Amino acid sequence: MNTAPPLQLVVLISGNGSNLQAIIDAIEAGSLNARINAVISNQPQALGLERARKHGIPAIALDHSLYPERENFDRVLVSEIKNFSPQLIVLAGYMRILTDYFIKQFSPNILNIHPSLLPKYQGLNTYQRALDNGDKKHGVSIHVVTPQLDAGPVILQSEYPIEEGDDIHSMQQKAHDLEYQMYPLVLKWLSEKRLKLTNDWPLFDNEKLQQAIMFNTL
Ligand code: GAR
């Protein structure tokens, strides 16, 4: 029987929240020993807030457009998050750049999921950029968040082929199929302390993780 306390999470979203749903499902299925203490969205209409409420998880809308200064918004966000005492902040489709102030509060305990093979295609529109460049493969990365956008240590990465006829929609579908397995897996490693986040490199099985683990070869 698993008697370890559950990993306490706050999940930040901006929209659909299908990755959030995958994490909720893994917890409810008993395959992930974690607890989502709150879900917070910077977009009040985010469907992910509804998903959280359906599962009895506190769901908070913090409308960023009410805060002209990015840091003022992040200060409110930080104080809201701290009310829920998380061990880890999980960015799951959170589409807002975090300030250094925010990152300092929780570093190194912030993870993000990004739809590209980082360090390729940091930032937005990764599917279109890969298509425009005629790439033959694309992927998903889960990484530690550091002050430089999409540049922190990558923990888990997965690739998929870009095939004849693929478009943004079909690529997004391929990415999602992988994401829904990858995020719960990384959180499971953390809950089991197989993965430890440090101010230096993450540790995996007590070794420095200097290269991403490739999901496709697990
Ligand atoms: C995910 O595909 C995630 O990789 C991406 O947003 C989507 C959110 O989907 N994240 C980023 O682009 C971060 N820069 P979801 O709201 O259905 O989980």
Side-chain angles (χ1 to χ4, degrees), residues 16-19 93 95 113-115 176 179:
N16 181 20
S18 64
N19 276 281
M95 303 305 284
I113 192 160
H114 182 76
H176 274 158
E179 289 182 340

